Amino acid sequence: MGCEVKRRFLLLYATQKGQAKAIAEEICQQASARGFKADIHCISETDKYNLETEKDPVVIVVSTTGTGDPPDTARKFIKKIQNKTLPADYFAHLQYALLGLGDSEYTFFCNGGKIVDRRLQELGSQHFYETGLADDCVGLELVVDPWIDGLWLALTQAFISRKEREIMSNNLRTVSNGVCAVTIDPSTSETPSLVSEIQHLKLEDSGVRSPDISSHKAANGHFVASSQGSEPSLIHSVPPLSQSALNIPVLPPEYIDVQFQETTDKDPSLTSLISEGAVFEVPVTKAVQLTKEDAVKTALLLELDISKTSFCYQPGDAFCVICPNNASEVEELFLSLGLSGKEDCFVCLKIKDGTKKKGAAMPQHIPDRSTLKFILTWCLEIRAVPKKAFLRALVEYTSNTGEKRRLQELCSKQGASDYNRFIREQDVCLLDLLHTFPTCKPPFNLLIEHLPKLQARPYSASSSNLFQPGKLHFVFNIVEFPSCPARPVLRKGVCTGWLADLVTPVLQPSESTEHSSAGKSSALKVPIFARPTNVFHLPEDLTVPLMMVGPGTGISPFIGFLQHRQKLQEEHADWKFGETWLFFGCRHRDRDYLFRDELQYFVGNGILTHLKVCFSRDPPAAADTASPKYVQDNIRLCAKDVARVLLKERGCFYVCGDEKNMGKDVNDALVDVFSMEAGADKLEAMKTLAMLREEKRYLQDLWT
């Protein structure tokens, strides 16, 4: 009788906000239905797996965060495999497949996955399936779904290859022991059955389904929720989708049991919301609106008093603000979920007995002994766009046939376009869904299982502790999400909206921030904590020339740089300082030119050597129809100086601001500068830029 082929594979995920984990869990659920066993772990859980001895195929899902960094959960793993003493055949025994997640609007698309993929290849690992790179710009599922569909065929072939190697090895071992080789009887070998399965999977991939392969179909038949010819929306579809049979995801197994307990105890402290370090609740001592009322965006500057804390920072550092969800939205959720009156009850959580979820674990972002209100206010990202697995779970708690059918469509393969159009692109959240589908009444455990952690929001310091001891400034635009059919009212960003509402009573109108008086706002407090491992700092050698690019609120850290330089120059008149350049841009000179007076002061006192500004929405002067509109235009106009500072004088180049639009444009402008001034082709220019980044002379602080 043939040996049983083990169908186990190791499934690792590296996640920052839960996306990679959710996709890995979907793979795990499908694996069971396909006859495989997925041994699933976070890549940080190195005590639960060992790649050095792993014999089964490995599937890895890796997200990307920041400006192209691997997620925090992958840092230790990557540090380990990047050890340069490892031999080139260290992972020669390993067969793996990798799915990277990213956003093509960012400079380093899927860089987290690419770093892992590249290093595994360098250490001798072999792909058993081609690497997938999913793009959140157009919709992850456009790559993720077909990649997962093809994974099962690739895994089956990997197991056949391994079985053939084992048979060959056994035959050779038998011959080497002086015994005649045994002919393998096909009727007793597992290989033919696996070959049959491959044919089976190929049929399925080509659109032909074998009768014994079950397809997850919508349970309620065909429901046409709109009249012929009407436009589709979040609530209803039109043909052909409304008349299609649906392939819907496997129902995610529930795994959290929730009990409510009356209590008079206090909620946990906010420090319990972070994994390490301390949270400081510091008073707001000043709030200034930097833009005019008719500006496209509203920018605010806040001053925090950190003098009575141990919080410290350098110019260029970022820090994190712990923000609550909008109070009125939390109240609406209480009503929609039928939980009114239980706001102050403790929520007791445990793993459900007999759950079928692999690796079920308690959520680490919900502190013990938390009330329902605390969890919905401080722990869960209730504004998160619901993933398809969440929609699938909501189907089971929706009573109306039409609503149930529409939710099935939105989470199905056939409804991918509608999901992107009406949920993802419109930033629809759970509350919007509950309003749109009023018979959907999910239990609270589904929120804990499917909503990600409410992330603290990072901000760049816009001040120098040397210049203003005990004060911390930061600047932000109030983010706004316009109304849409699924959301009839405008929404502000979770953190920026909360901060703006908090300081409304003490907000000062636009004026020079340097000399405005502090408001009496010490009763208003903001919880903050330090953000570790920041390298966006001034060079230690003060003679090194600096070039700074900061359009809009991206100017924020450079105000801190210049304040710091000002103080040093005042205290050390005999010291030599390198030249400083600032490329700033905004829409209108008279509406959103941030820190205008301060910049003119820095120029007048020689602290800022060169100031290059541009205004994208102001009409050009009659005599200068080709005036620069964006910071990258000014960089190209100053190409000779940029090349001189960076290539000859070994200066530093800093960029702060929006990654999606500005970050890539500045990157491209530098490549053009190096091509023009150094006479290099584009590839060589890109290598030069990579060298500057490696030497930490091209530094970026970019955000979404």
Side-chain angles (χ1 to χ4, degrees), residues 382-403:
I382 64 175
R383 289 270 194 90
V385 174
K387 298 181 177 63
K388 290 186 177 182
F390 195 8
L391 298 183
R392 177 65 185 89
L394 293 176
V395 168
E396 303 304 304
Y397 294 96
T398 304
S399 57
N400 178 272
T401 303
E403 293 176 12

Side-chain angles (χ1 to χ4, degrees), residues 445-465:
N445 66 287
L446 280 198
L447 276 65
I448 293 176
E449 293 171 8
H450 291 277
L451 290 178
K453 175 184 178 180
L454 177 57
Q455 299 284 340
R457 272 46 173 182
Y459 294 94
S460 300
S462 184
S463 53
S464 163
N465 203 35

Side-chain angles (χ1 to χ4, degrees), residues 165-184:
R165 288 195 301 270
E166 289 173 356
I167 292 171
M168 184 177 296
S169 176
N170 288 337
N171 287 346
L172 289 172
R173 191 180 303 115
T174 303
V175 171
S176 68
N177 289 336
V179 182
C180 290
V182 178
T183 302
I184 301 298

Side-chain angles (χ1 to χ4, degrees), residues 130-151:
E130 64 185 18
T131 295
L133 300 177
D135 186 1
D136 198 35
C137 175
V138 296
L140 293 173
E141 66 279 354
L142 295 182
V143 168
V144 171
D145 288 351
W147 191 89
I148 294 176
D149 288 344
L151 175 64

